[in-house]
Structure formats: structure tokens, C-alpha cells
Amino acid sequence: MTDYISRHAVDGNLFIPKMFQGFPEIKEALISNRVQAGFLVAPMAIALRSQGVPIKVVYLGHRYGSAVVVQKDGPVHSVADLRGRTIAIPSRFSDERLIVLRALRQNGIAPSEVKMVEMSPADVAGALAAKAIDAFAMGEPFPSQAEMVGFGRVLFQAREYWPDYMSCVLVVRQDVIDERPEAVQTLVDGIARSGLWLEKGKPYREYAAEFVGRYYFNQPPALLKWALTRPLDRVMYAPLSPRKRDFDLVRDLMIESGILDQKLEFEDYVDVRFAEHSQIQTAWKFEPGADVE
Amino acid sequence: MKRIAIWLFVWTAAISALHAWLNVNWAEILNDRLPLERRKLNVAYIPVT
């Protein structure tokens, strides 16, 4: 997405996309200024801000797209069956951990009755297949991978317990916001346009799966097609403007689960100016299959 | 002895040059040294949709 934005931005090449394998590595890269912007899980962004790291959330990466997956022929058929089981999550500071806690609470299960282990997203499928874990809570395409290959079954999608669920958010270092606001706006506008383009329908999502899988994610396009189209609203790319009520909920769940010790205000960690301006944007004018100029 | 030293030097220089050519991303290194207002911005992501 950032590469496409960079190549099609009127300002010329502005961004260099850098792939990481886990959120903690992105966190370290942001702190050390090796990257100036990045996609992080929302609780990690809030936690970093609370620790004084000079970053702000400026936009969302997508909505929904996380699920709890169990072994296909295993004994877990309901949230109640998770009692005493081991569940992998991407990070202590992830929305996936919060969604598991939310589901447990709604089913009368104490957090202490479940063992949560942190695991890199790329490792969970193998761990579930090898029965090293009983379940995982992770963003796409890992739930799709478990379904497609046949060793996993979606127990529930995040939206079933959290209707306005958001996962990855775009954070930018404060010095970049202050000194290069036009570059941040270009990035946010580009993500908004890409999101609207993806929401135009199945052929657009299938085309995106093809080139993102091949050239950026190093994942089979068929897997991404599954994740983006079964069903079409499995992952949503609009609306992506940060909303106060969504972040207040994340912050309160973080405090409740002991990973945040202060009640940060929305304005302390979100800068909505770029999202507000991006609302005038329209989808990229590019038809699936057409040559990129 | 002098000939061995020369060969050793040439070999080390050749390997170092090859390494610098093949494995070092000079564009990225030079970009990181530019002032913020002229630098391309590195944007981090992980392969989740």
C-alpha cells in the first residue's frame, strides 16, 4: 500500500515500506527512529504513548480481521471449552488479547483459567497444527491459513464480541508530524484511497491479494484471496478514521486488564487532523488487471 | 612473503567490495543520513491484512 502510494503520490517517492515479523520489533524501530511510521496494534500504540514515546495514531489500517482459531477436530467448540487451555496471542499489548478477555468474561471465565502465550503471528499456524497450543487469537491471514490448510476452525470472529473492533493502527513519530505534515497527509490519503478501492468489490480484493501476496507479504495469493473474500466483510477497509469511543474502549480494557496505569485522553495519543482531511478522498482510479502506469 | 601479503590484500579487498555491492543497501543508508525534511520515510508493517 505504502509503495503504491509512494509511486502515485504527486510529491514523488516519499515512503519506503519495510516488512517486520512482529509488533515488538516495529515498536523498537519506532523508538530508535529506524522507521518513522508504522502499523501497530492499538493497545501497543497507547502503551507506547503512555511511556512517553513521541508517536501519535493518525489512522487505522483496517477493521475486524481477527479471529480465535482452534484445532479443527479438537475438543473446543465454545468459548466455555477454552477453560484450562493455552491460547497464543501476538502480544500482551494486542487487541487480540483484549478480545479473548472480553469473550472469556462474557462467558463467565476468569482470565486466570486460561493460559495466554505470546507468539509471533508467523508461528501460530505451525504451533496449532503441532498441537503445541489449543487456540490462537490472531489477525488475518493466519485464521484463513488454518482453515484453508485444514487444521484449524474459527471459533469466533472478533466482531462477534466487539462490534466496532479495530486492529492495526497507523502511528507516526511526532517529529515527522511536526516537520512533515504534508507527507503524513499523503500517506493517510493514500491509505484512505486504497481502502475505498478495496471496498469496491470482490475483483478488487482478489487483484490486491495477487500482488500483495507476491510482492510484499511473501504469502500465497490464494491465502490472501481467502482472507479478503470469505466473506467480503471479513476484513474491512472503511471507515478508517480514528473514533474516540473505539479508543476509549481499548484504553479502558487495557486499564482493566492491568497493562495501562493511567487514563490517557484520546487527544494525548491520536491526531485526527489527517483523517479529517482524508474524508474528501475517493478510491484510486485503477481497474483490476489494468497495467500500472 | 610479500606476494602472499599482496594476494591476501587483493582477496580481502575483492570480497569486501563484492559484499558492499551485493549486500549493502546504499540507497537506504544514504537516505537515513539526509535531514528529516528531505528523507524518504520508512513505514513498517507486518504481513497481516
Side-chain angles (χ1 to χ4, degrees):
Chain A
M1 192 186 280
T2 45
D3 191 43
Y4 188 87
I5 296 163
S6 190
R7 280 192 265 159
H8 292 260
V10 283
D11 306 336
N13 289 329
L14 278 173
F15 312 108
I16 303 172
K18 285 191 171 292
M19 188 164 81
F20 288 71
Q21 288 302 331
F23 293 112
E25 291 85 348
I26 295 181
K27 177 193 80 174
E28 295 300 328
L30 274 165
I31 292 171
S32 62
N33 202 14
R34 276 197 299 121
V35 301
Q36 290 72 46
F39 291 93
L40 278 184
V41 270
M44 189 174 279
I46 296 173
L48 284 180
R49 194 68 199 93
S50 79
Q51 291 160 15
V53 178
I55 56 163
K56 285 268 173 71
V57 175
V58 295
Y59 212 50
L60 306 189
H62 56 84
R63 282 184 183 273
Y64 315 122
S66 292
V68 171
V69 177
V70 296
Q71 289 163 13
K72 188 178 180 186
D73 302 315
V76 181
H77 294 278
S78 67
V79 175
D81 294 334
L82 288 173
R83 193 175 266 121
R85 308 279 175 189
T86 301
I87 306 176
I89 52 170
S91 161
R92 223 156 65 83
F93 296 97
S94 63
D95 304 271
E96 283 80 6
R97 175 174 175 269
L98 298 181
I99 196 68
V100 170
L101 292 174
R102 211 169 146 91
L104 293 177
R105 188 171 58 180
Q106 287 186 27
N107 285 273
I109 302 171
S112 58
E113 292 181 85
V114 168
K115 184 181 177 191
M116 282 198 245
V117 293
E118 291 182 69
M119 202 172 275
S120 166
D123 295 334
V124 291
L128 188 72
K131 301 190 175 172
I133 53 175
D134 300 299
F136 68 74
M138 209 58 72
E140 292 291 354
F142 301 102
S144 291
Q145 183 185 25
E147 279 188 320
M148 201 174 128
V149 179
F151 57 82
R153 169 167 44 84
V154 171
L155 184 64
F156 64 84
Q157 293 284 349
R159 66 188 342 150
E160 294 172 41
Y161 284 90
W162 191 332
D164 289 322
Y165 181 83
M166 55 182 185
S167 184
C168 283
V169 297
L170 176 66
V171 300
V172 181
R173 284 180 57 91
Q174 189 64 51
D175 52 353
V176 177
I177 291 175
D178 294 338
E179 293 177 37
R180 301 199 45 195
E182 72 296 335
V184 179
Q185 190 64 63
T186 302
L187 182 59
V188 171
D189 287 349
I191 294 170
R193 297 191 73 182
S194 301
L196 292 169
W197 185 84
L198 280 163
E199 291 302 332
K200 284 174 81 173
K202 194 174 177 184
Y204 296 83
R205 287 178 171 239
E206 286 180 338
Y207 187 78
E210 198 68 45
F211 72 77
V212 170
R214 255 180 236 285
Y215 301 115
Y216 295 97
F217 281 15
N218 196 22
Q219 289 170 342
L223 170 62
L224 294 183
K225 279 181 192 169
W226 185 297
L228 293 178
T229 61
R230 293 189 172 211
L232 278 179
D233 64 356
R234 191 168 179 141
V235 190
M236 298 289 287
Y237 295 92
L240 297 178
S241 289
R243 296 189 301 218
K244 184 175 184 303
R245 66 171 186 274
D246 296 338
F247 279 90
D248 283 352
L249 177 59
V250 173
R251 178 204 59 193
D252 293 344
L253 287 169
M254 288 174 72
I255 293 173
E256 201 178 297
S257 62
I259 55 169
L260 186 68
D261 57 8
Q262 52 180 306
K263 200 157 185 164
L264 281 181
E265 289 306 322
F266 180 68
E267 297 74 20
D268 294 335
Y269 56 87
V270 179
D271 191 331
V272 294
R273 287 175 297 163
F274 305 102
E276 283 169 357
H277 185 270
S278 75
Q279 286 172 358
I280 59 169
Q281 295 298 329
T282 53
W284 292 112
K285 290 184 178 15
F286 173 70
E287 292 305 312
D291 287 337
V292 178
E293 293 161 17
Chain B
M1 193 65 183
K2 191 179 169 189
R3 182 178 281 187
I4 291 173
I6 290 170
W7 272 111
L8 204 61
F9 176 77
V10 169
W11 175 253
T12 307
I15 290 294
S16 300
L18 266 175
H19 170 66
W21 180 44
L22 295 171
N23 300 326
V24 179
N25 189 340
W26 290 102
E28 193 177 313
I29 289 173
L30 294 173
N31 180 59
D32 288 347
R33 275 158 182 69
L34 289 172
L36 181 58
E37 66 273 13
R38 287 174 51 207
R39 199 186 303 167
K40 288 182 190 175
L41 303 177
N42 293 314
V43 182
Y45 68 98
I46 67 168
V48 296
T49 52

